[in-house]
Amino acid sequence: MREKRVSKKENVFVASRFVLPEHREMYLRIKEEERRYVPPELDQEQLSALSELVWQAFQTESILTLTYYDGREPRRLSAHIIHIDQAARRLKLRAGSEIHWVPFARLLHVELAAVF
């Protein structure tokens, strides 16, 4: 009878026996970089459209649903704009009882929430 051969992928112990800790750390760091989210670059037309919607929501006190980059991944938030800090180029938002500060440069998408 023939023995079944166990591949290195199936046997983690055999596969990792000869890997130096420095190499393992480097491999994990490279894999983390590959998974890292890179936000898209918005052109001037897209930025002006975002700015217009933000200003409209602020003026009408409408709920705004925005997608922003938090430094690791995109996040969605539905909130009221309570302050536009033009000097620091950021928005102060209220979602329920929580207050959020979102830099304008981190905005990816903005839309006015539907009102019923």
Side-chain angles (χ1 to χ4, degrees):
M1 220 184 224
R2 237 172 92 183
E3 273 184 45
K4 182 183 173 198
R5 297 185 93 189
V6 178
S7 73
K8 289 184 179 183
K9 287 183 181 179
E10 294 172 4
N11 190 343
V12 177
F13 176 72
V14 171
S16 64
R17 223 173 20 184
F18 298 107
V19 176
L20 295 174
E22 305 87 50
H23 294 159
R24 183 178 187 282
E25 289 173 19
M26 183 174 60
Y27 174 77
L28 293 174
R29 193 170 47 249
I30 289 169
K31 285 298 181 187
E32 183 64 32
E33 282 290 318
E34 289 174 355
R35 283 193 303 264
R36 190 179 67 135
Y37 175 80
V38 177
E41 293 281 328
L42 301 179
D43 62 19
Q44 192 61 37
E45 187 176 315
Q46 292 169 318
L47 290 173
S48 62
L50 289 178
S51 179
E52 184 66 34
L53 282 173
V54 165
W55 183 248
Q56 183 181 353
F58 181 66
Q59 290 294 317
T60 60
E61 298 180 2
S62 301
I63 294 177
L64 192 69
T65 301
L66 52 92
T67 305
Y68 66 98
Y69 175 63
D70 74 348
R72 285 184 302 230
E73 60 188 8
R75 301 259 183 205
R76 284 183 61 89
L77 178 66
S78 292
H80 283 95
I81 300 173
I82 55 177
H83 180 68
I84 299 175
D85 186 349
Q86 292 180 353
R89 297 189 41 85
R90 61 186 184 162
L91 304 172
K92 185 176 183 180
L93 306 161
R94 183 180 59 230
S97 62
E98 297 178 6
I99 301 294
H100 301 272
W101 285 95
V102 177
F104 192 78
R106 297 244 172 145
L107 291 179
L108 302 173
H109 182 73
V110 175
E111 58 190 41
L112 292 174
V115 179
F116 296 99

